[in-house]
Amino acid sequence: MFLLGCYTALRISDLKRINPTNSSGEFIRLTTQKNNELFSMPIMKQAQAILSKYKGWAPKISEQEVNRSIKKVCEQAKINTPVEVEYTKGGKELIKTFKKYELISSHIAGKTFISNAKELWNLEPAEVAAIVRKDLRTMLNSYFRAPVESATLKMIAADKGQMKIAR
């Protein structure tokens, strides 16, 4: 179910609704529950392999079980980098440290789709935003933030002639 989300960008609530009728042919077509919008996306070969295994249906598994399984797999894969999370409790600003696998959930599937869309399918950010029905500015700020350090290093390299720039 998680991998199906990675290849379709659909939320679990919508993945559960995939059936042979709305996943027949080359596209998944359904109205999303969150925003009641028509979603239409080509079924990529990775998603097709999953759907074929289940005869056009999404796997039958609860969101809680998906989340438990993802955490277990990521723990076994040693995805345990410490991550600090800031939050407010009782008017106090607090920071708690988690192992990265503890924070992973089914919501990461959509982010994975967005993050991999350029490399896998050569999609530009505006195209990805259109497919996942997100505002481009919000998506760019949330998913494509380039670190200032990276931008700084590129500028220095270009200035020193170590990097080609279009003129």
Side-chain angles (χ1 to χ4, degrees):
M1 186 67 97
F2 179 76
L3 290 175
L4 193 56
C6 291
Y7 295 120
T8 63
L10 286 168
R11 294 174 182 85
I12 290 280
S13 59
D14 294 320
L15 287 170
K16 287 180 176 184
R17 297 174 41 245
I18 293 177
N19 61 56
T21 302
N22 60 28
S23 68
S24 64
E26 297 179 2
F27 287 82
I28 294 173
R29 290 186 173 92
L30 55 83
T31 302
T32 57
Q33 284 190 334
K34 183 173 181 179
N35 52 21
N36 202 34
E37 289 184 1
L38 180 62
F39 174 88
S40 180
M41 176 186 285
I43 303 174
M44 302 286 89
K45 63 183 174 188
Q46 301 91 336
Q48 185 60 56
I50 297 166
L51 292 173
S52 292
K53 181 177 179 178
Y54 296 94
K55 297 179 175 44
W57 296 87
K60 298 294 181 208
I61 184 171
S62 71
E63 184 171 1
Q64 293 79 10
E65 186 59 32
V66 170
N67 288 333
R68 276 193 298 273
S69 298
I70 294 167
K71 286 173 181 18
K72 188 182 294 184
V73 168
C74 291
E75 179 180 19
Q76 291 172 350
K78 300 190 184 330
I79 301 174
N80 56 12
T81 307
V83 177
E84 288 186 345
V85 175
E86 297 179 23
Y87 63 100
T88 305
K89 185 174 182 179
K92 289 186 173 184
E93 296 288 325
L94 302 171
I95 297 175
K96 184 172 180 179
T97 302
F98 295 91
K99 292 180 179 175
K100 195 169 198 173
Y101 72 83
E102 295 174 314
L103 301 173
I104 294 174
S105 72
S106 62
H107 291 68
I108 300 298
K111 182 173 180 155
T112 300
F113 176 92
I114 291 168
S115 299
N116 289 329
K118 176 71 174 171
E119 183 179 334
L120 293 177
W121 304 296
N122 199 31
L123 298 179
E124 296 300 324
E127 295 169 318
V128 177
I131 286 174
V132 299
R133 307 295 195 271
K134 290 191 182 288
D135 174 69
L136 178 59
R137 181 178 293 172
T138 301
M139 195 184 73
L140 289 172
N141 288 335
S142 299
Y143 300 100
F144 291 102
R145 287 183 289 191
V148 173
E149 300 83 20
S150 172
T152 302
L153 291 174
K154 286 180 181 179
M155 291 173 68
I156 291 169
D159 195 49
K160 291 182 178 179
Q162 297 170 346
M163 181 179 191
K164 290 186 179 183
I165 53 174
R167 298 202 189 266

